[in-house]
Amino acid sequence: EGQPIYLAVKGVVFDVTSGKEFYGKGAPYNALVGKDSTRGVAKMSLDPADLTHDTTGLTEEELKSLDDVFNNVYKAKYPIVGYTSRRILNEDGSPNLDFKPEDQPHFNIKDEF
């Protein structure tokens, strides 16, 4: 209670606290919070095996659904508060030279950050 609720989709971390009736403790989509749940969002699945960033093997329809939800729900409704390390680092921990902050979805820095 009293803590922000964050979830990540496509490596973008959203503050979904304003939707706590959906994402808070005991709420229907609580399983998505605290991690990058890209695959679960794409598949509309709360199966623990799908609560991962991994998009390997997703169908074209699932990828389109992911983009639609990412743009029309998360980016449209919730503030972006950061990015996951997978988005800005390579697997070996070196900087991802393809990551360009100016090309990322914009996020507003709140006073408390």
Side-chain angles (χ1 to χ4, degrees):
E1 287 301 312
Q3 297 295 316
I5 303 169
Y6 294 162
L7 72 80
V9 178
K10 294 174 68 170
V12 179
V13 182
F14 295 93
D15 181 342
V16 296
T17 307
S18 65
K20 71 178 172 184
E21 66 273 13
F22 302 108
Y23 300 102
K25 190 171 185 147
Y29 302 117
N30 180 257
L32 298 173
V33 305
K35 59 185 76 71
D36 189 327
S37 296
T38 300
R39 185 179 196 82
V41 170
K43 294 181 74 163
M44 299 292 176
S45 169
L46 297 175
D47 182 325
D50 289 329
L51 302 180
T52 178
H53 69 280
D54 187 8
T55 58
T56 305
L58 291 178
T59 67
E60 211 165 300
E61 185 177 308
E62 289 167 335
L63 291 170
K64 182 181 179 333
S65 173
L66 172 62
D67 284 341
D68 288 346
V69 173
F70 179 77
N71 289 309
N72 300 321
V73 176
Y74 292 108
K75 277 180 59 180
K77 291 177 76 172
Y78 300 109
I80 296 170
V81 294
Y83 303 98
T84 63
S85 62
R86 271 193 181 79
R87 196 169 179 101
I88 60 176
L89 299 176
N90 294 314
E91 283 189 32
D92 65 2
S94 64
N96 175 359
L97 299 179
D98 293 329
F99 179 84
K100 296 186 176 35
E102 63 273 13
D103 295 338
Q104 302 305 307
H106 178 69
F107 69 96
N108 296 318
I109 298 176
K110 297 180 178 181
D111 291 338
E112 66 265 27
F113 293 122

